[in-house]
Amino acid sequence: MTDVIERRAIPQRVELREAPEGSDSPGILTGYGAVFNQLSRDLGGWFEEIAPEAFGAPGTDGAVDMERHGRVMGRSEHSSKLLLGTTDAGTLRLFLDDVGLRYEIDLPNTGAGRDAAVLAGRGDYAFSSFAFRVLPEGAEWRIDGDDKYVRRVTGAQLVDVAPVADPAYWGSSAELQRAFDLDEVRASLNPPPAPPGEREQAAAESWRSKNTRLSEREALAGHRRRRGGKKGVSR
């Protein structure tokens, strides 16, 4: 598994629900950190889509199996200073459905939690995002019908989910550029033609030899015709 943490965002507003009665939480934040089978925006000459199996099979209640992912955090703007919840504490819950990866966060009664509640309630958080690591053999490439290079993520380990105000797209980040070499991907999808085998080389050489001999015979015949023509000319 690569150590590179990649981040993606989708243009979908998060929602704020009321916390249970008696709770001091400013609310429950919900949204989709990722959606399945949809092309991302241009990430710098390539595009991406998330496969439904990327985060593993859901449990009977649709919950994400955390054995693969370990501890996942909910953080505003992916910042640890703005921690909102964690899966190990049960304050962050993750689910898989036909749309994608859905999250619920019991917002804490802290500055970060109250700010998140206000910003979500006003609609300032216009994006949801998630951070992940690609598992070994967890991505495959293709060229689609529009000649776009597309990476399909089929296996990933979650790091966090986050409401974000401005994704400022992370596609050109230094971390992502270290994840893979796009030139190598292009070369693998567009391999050069294979060199001819021994049989093809022999056939080509035979064809060239025959054409050379034919050209020589034609040149000799033409020379003889020209000489014969000169002898028959009367003076």
Side-chain angles (χ1 to χ4, degrees), residues 37 49-53 138-142 150-154:
N37 295 324
E49 64 185 11
I50 307 297
E53 67 272 18
E140 53 192 35
W141 286 88
R142 73 176 190 274
V150 178
R151 183 173 76 154
R152 183 173 176 84
V153 177
T154 57

Side-chain angles (χ1 to χ4, degrees), residues 107-140:
L107 293 176
N109 190 16
T110 62
R114 292 189 294 271
D115 287 349
V118 171
L119 293 171
R122 299 195 319 177
D124 294 321
Y125 276 141
F127 293 81
S128 282
S129 178
F130 75 105
F132 65 102
R133 296 183 180 93
V134 176
L135 296 173
E137 309 299 326
E140 53 192 35

Side-chain angles (χ1 to χ4, degrees), residues 2-234:
T2 176
D3 290 332
V4 176
I5 296 177
E6 303 182 39
R7 299 181 177 91
R8 303 289 183 272
I10 59 172
Q12 185 183 72
R13 293 183 184 277
V14 298
E15 298 179 1
L16 182 68
R17 301 201 314 252
E18 289 187 7
E21 187 175 351
S23 171
D24 67 349
S25 169
I28 300 174
L29 201 66
T30 69
Y32 281 91
V35 293
F36 298 142
N37 295 324
Q38 290 189 20
L39 280 187
S40 70
R41 59 197 283 186
D42 190 330
L43 297 178
W46 60 281
F47 299 78
E48 187 175 71
E49 64 185 11
I50 307 297
E53 67 272 18
F55 308 114
T60 54
D61 58 352
V64 172
D65 183 354
M66 297 307 301
E67 185 173 347
R68 170 193 291 189
H69 306 285
R71 182 175 187 260
V72 179
M73 296 170 285
R75 307 184 284 190
S76 292
E77 307 292 345
H78 297 287
S79 171
S80 293
K81 294 181 180 180
L82 302 175
L83 182 65
L84 303 178
T86 62
T87 53
D88 55 356
T91 50
L92 165 63
R93 296 170 294 280
L94 300 170
F95 303 92
L96 298 170
D97 58 27
D98 292 339
V99 177
L101 171 71
R102 182 172 62 85
Y103 64 86
E104 295 180 354
I105 304 174
D106 298 329
L107 293 176
N109 190 16
T110 62
R114 292 189 294 271
D115 287 349
V118 171
L119 293 171
R122 299 195 319 177
D124 294 321
Y125 276 141
F127 293 81
S128 282
S129 178
F130 75 105
F132 65 102
R133 296 183 180 93
V134 176
L135 296 173
E137 309 299 326
E140 53 192 35
W141 286 88
R142 73 176 190 274
I143 302 175
D144 71 4
D146 296 322
D147 292 330
K148 295 176 181 176
Y149 289 87
V150 178
R151 183 173 76 154
R152 183 173 176 84
V153 177
T154 57
Q157 182 187 64
L158 290 165
V159 175
D160 74 7
V161 291
V164 293
D166 179 10
Y169 229 81
W170 294 283
S172 60
S173 68
E175 290 81 4
L176 184 54
Q177 297 309 313
R178 290 199 299 269
F180 57 84
D181 188 327
L182 187 56
D183 288 335
E184 290 183 2
V185 172
R186 291 194 180 102
S188 68
L189 295 176
N190 299 280
E198 293 182 4
R199 182 175 300 177
E200 289 79 4
Q201 289 179 339
E205 183 62 32
S206 175
W207 181 86
R208 284 194 295 269
S209 177
K210 290 178 181 178
N211 276 272
T212 299
R213 291 196 298 270
L214 179 61
S215 298
E216 291 174 348
R217 286 198 297 269
E218 289 178 345
L220 181 58
H223 178 67
R224 288 174 176 171
R225 285 195 297 271
R226 287 194 297 273
R227 291 185 61 188
K230 289 179 179 180
K231 288 181 179 179
V233 175
S234 60

